[in-house]
Amino acid sequence: MGKYARYFYFDLDKVHYEHFYLYMLIAAIVALYLVLKSQSKFKLEMFFLSFYLLTGSFNVLLNFKIPGISFFEVQIVRVVYLLLLFRMVRDKVFSGTRFNFVGDKKLPWFVLPLFLYVLFLSLSVLYTGVEKGYVTIIDSVAFILIVFGISSLKDQHSYDIIGKSIIIGAIASSIISLLQLTINPFFLRIGDDRAAFGNFIRSNGIFDTEYFNSYYLIVAITWVLVMVKNKILRAFLVTLFTLGVICSFQRMSWIILFLVIVIYFIFIAKVSLARLLFAAVAGFAIILSLSVFYYQDIMKSSLVQDRLTDSVEGRQEYYSFVLNNIGKKPFLGFGDLKNEVYYENLLRITGKRSRATAEEGDLHSGYFMSMFQYGIPAFVCFLLFVLLPIPYYLRLVKFNIYFMVPFLVSVLYFVGNLTNSFLFLKYLSVLYAIHIGIGMGVRKIETSQLTKITN
């Protein structure tokens, strides 16, 4: 049981390991079915990627070390980006053309800040002598591989497999979330077991933390809005996934869900403002009615108490400490969170040694994390990389509704990094890389088709 301790933070007697492996077996069968049924030209890559998307955090149970190679652990996500790398190299070698990693002179604006960010990140960890800094560099390079590997596929059928996998995974995660909240809080639970209110625990779904669950479900909603044409089925799935987001009791995900829905209905679906306001008022009335019955439990809950103790003021102390200290190392930052400056300030702010030693938690902002760890130039590049895809894909939505998915995922990633750190390669970062790559790939498909027509 020792090897499971790092995945299950609660009483191991409550864990039914066979349920997780059964779920992954079913996910593998579903992934195989989606791939074989599809006309995708990249079946091996799509199988592992589909399996990764269907299993969430559960697939960490399949991680293993290669005997004699202690520094490398085989993970599904690593299999995915290595397969993408091998395919890109293979295609270039057998095509007989000179190898060019980028391969497209008309790249989106955000590609340059991405490369510069990884450059500054690499210089920072090498200069500051971060322990196992090579892992940080490898993860950042892997992020780039995923972006360009997915974009280089230029295959609509492969992208459809990704969307279907996320929707099916979200159905499972939503149902598991509802069961965790109402029947058994430890049903297929892996990772955190944070309190919501009363005796309720925040739902993780198929993930190890509630916010990955909720963000994944929001991404699935964007795919439903694009792929599902049946209005009744679309409404059912959006409702189901919304309930899953609510069960996570993750405040920022509620805000992002509302933002995504508003953007879709006002700017894309062109729904009248009156109808949208009516739906918003009706939803608020339902939530208000339910809160009356649980008022005392809610006010005493960690959902509220965490906000009172680690509120905007508490977060401001994190950010102020970064701004007050970045002048000491403005260009390359401090490398990581295991240093004296971080230790002293986090101990002062939180009073918790586990936070000060970076054993748990961080600065609750991807932007301030990038600034503190890698310096001001890296922060500027990261900010530009996160911001620029939003107007880029928004401009393309009017030409093809498919661009709505990377556009809304870009909005999610931008807002999510305000209060959480999603630097490479956390699950949401992988989702972001995949969808940025899909957007670039669809753009290449359209460009190629337009070229054929004009010629």
Side-chain angles (χ1 to χ4, degrees):
M1 281 198 178
K3 69 176 183 177
Y4 293 112
R6 58 177 172 158
Y7 304 132
F8 302 96
Y9 305 146
F10 41 85
D11 188 354
L12 293 179
D13 291 338
K14 297 179 180 179
V15 182
H16 294 279
Y17 307 107
E18 64 277 8
H19 293 171
F20 292 93
Y21 291 109
L22 176 61
Y23 177 91
M24 285 188 283
L25 175 61
I26 295 172
I29 294 172
V30 172
L32 184 62
Y33 172 78
L34 290 175
V35 168
L36 294 179
K37 185 181 178 182
S38 170
Q39 298 179 38
S40 169
K41 296 177 289 186
F42 311 100
K43 297 190 183 300
L44 181 62
E45 294 90 343
M46 285 300 106
F47 170 76
F48 281 99
L49 183 54
S50 176
F51 180 76
Y52 174 78
L53 294 171
L54 285 166
T55 52
S57 298
F58 292 172
N59 59 64
V60 299
L61 297 176
L62 301 178
N63 295 353
F64 65 92
K65 291 185 179 294
I66 300 175
I69 307 178
S70 59
F71 63 88
F72 186 81
E73 185 178 59
V74 176
Q75 301 173 5
I76 298 298
V77 68
R78 289 176 177 170
V79 173
V80 170
Y81 68 68
L82 287 175
L83 284 173
L84 292 172
L85 173 61
F86 293 152
R87 195 202 62 78
M88 286 191 291
V89 173
R90 182 195 64 204
D91 289 351
K92 291 296 181 181
V93 170
F94 287 100
S95 66
T97 60
R98 187 176 60 181
F99 181 75
N100 180 5
F101 177 74
V102 175
D104 187 357
K105 295 180 180 179
K106 295 182 179 180
L107 288 172
W109 312 322
F110 52 80
V111 169
L112 179 59
L114 170 60
F115 279 109
L116 289 175
Y117 173 68
V118 173
L119 174 63
F120 286 118
L121 174 151
S122 302
L123 291 174
S124 174
V125 298
L126 292 173
Y127 177 77
T128 54
V130 173
E131 184 180 359
K132 294 185 178 180
Y134 64 87
V135 175
T136 303
I137 297 174
I138 290 174
D139 283 350
S140 61
V141 172
F143 183 93
I144 294 176
L145 287 175
I146 293 172
V147 172
F148 284 94
I150 295 295
S151 69
S152 68
L153 298 179
K154 294 183 290 185
D155 182 49
Q156 187 71 56
H157 299 295
S158 297
Y159 299 150
D160 288 344
I161 289 177
I162 293 173
K164 291 175 182 178
S165 299
I166 292 176
I167 291 174
I168 295 171
I171 292 172
S173 197
S174 296
I175 293 173
I176 292 171
S177 295
L178 291 169
L179 293 174
Q180 287 175 343
L181 186 70
T182 59
I183 299 178
N184 180 4
F186 296 99
F187 175 69
L188 283 176
R189 178 176 292 274
I190 189 171
D192 294 341
D193 58 335
R194 299 181 62 194
F197 66 92
N199 295 321
F200 294 100
I201 297 177
R202 303 182 190 194
S203 296
N204 292 353
I206 61 175
F207 295 90
D208 58 3
T209 186
E210 77 281 353
Y211 56 84
F212 282 148
N213 180 40
S214 55
Y215 289 147
Y216 178 88
L217 294 176
I218 296 172
V219 172
I221 288 174
T222 68
W223 277 105
V224 168
L225 295 175
V226 168
M227 295 188 71
V228 179
K229 305 305 179 184
N230 185 294
K231 292 183 178 180
I232 297 177
L233 178 60
R234 181 168 53 188
F236 170 77
L237 290 176
V238 170
T239 301
L240 176 64
F241 299 165
T242 299
L243 290 174
V245 174
I246 293 173
C247 289
S248 72
F249 291 95
Q250 209 271 333
R251 298 172 291 263
M252 181 55 76
S253 67
W254 294 351
I255 296 173
I256 294 175
L257 174 62
F258 177 77
L259 182 62
V260 165
I261 294 296
V262 167
I263 289 174
Y264 171 76
F265 281 111
I266 292 182
F267 296 103
I268 298 175
K270 308 293 184 181
V271 174
S272 67
L273 187 60
R275 290 185 178 181
L276 197 62
L277 286 174
F278 174 79
V281 170
F284 179 75
I286 293 172
I287 294 173
L288 188 63
S289 300
L290 291 174
S291 67
V292 170
F293 296 100
Y294 295 99
Y295 179 77
Q296 292 298 327
D297 286 338
I298 292 173
M299 292 308 296
K300 294 177 181 178
S301 69
S302 65
L303 185 71
V304 174
Q305 294 303 314
D306 285 353
R307 177 53 68 195
L308 293 175
T309 57
D310 190 21
S311 61
V312 174
E313 292 76 14
R315 300 279 172 97
Q316 283 181 345
E317 287 196 63
Y318 302 151
Y319 310 153
S320 296
F321 123 68
V322 173
L323 295 175
N324 291 335
N325 287 276
I326 193 61
K328 299 175 182 178
K329 295 185 177 181
F331 297 109
L332 295 177
F334 292 83
D336 63 1
L337 303 182
K338 295 184 180 295
N339 54 75
E340 187 176 344
V341 173
Y342 185 84
Y343 180 87
E344 291 179 354
N345 282 277
L346 264 291
L347 191 63
R348 171 180 58 82
I349 295 170
T350 67
K352 298 179 180 179
R353 189 176 181 278
S354 60
R355 292 294 306 278
T357 56
E359 293 176 16
E360 60 180 50
D362 51 37
L363 294 174
H364 291 287
S365 169
Y367 306 110
F368 282 96
M369 281 281 286
S370 62
M371 180 187 295
F372 179 78
Q373 290 186 268
Y374 312 125
I376 295 175
F379 156 72
V380 173
C381 292
F382 179 72
L383 181 62
L384 288 174
F385 167 61
V386 174
L387 272 175
L388 290 178
I390 297 176
Y392 178 79
Y393 287 118
L394 176 60
R395 181 175 60 86
L396 295 174
V397 169
K398 61 182 178 182
F399 300 108
N400 189 335
I401 192 63
Y402 217 87
F403 289 110
M404 188 187 80
V405 178
F407 163 62
L408 291 178
V409 173
S410 298
V411 171
L412 185 157
Y413 192 72
F414 165 69
V415 179
N417 266 293
L418 291 173
T419 56
N420 290 103
S421 173
F422 298 121
L423 304 183
F424 317 140
L425 269 173
K426 290 189 176 180
Y427 200 94
L428 186 62
S429 298
V430 175
L431 286 182
Y432 183 56
I434 290 170
H435 288 84
I436 289 296
I438 288 175
M440 293 169 61
V442 174
R443 180 65 169 162
K444 289 179 181 179
I445 293 172
E446 289 200 337
T447 302
S448 177
Q449 291 175 345
L450 182 61
T451 302
K452 290 179 181 179
I453 293 173
T454 55
N455 290 339

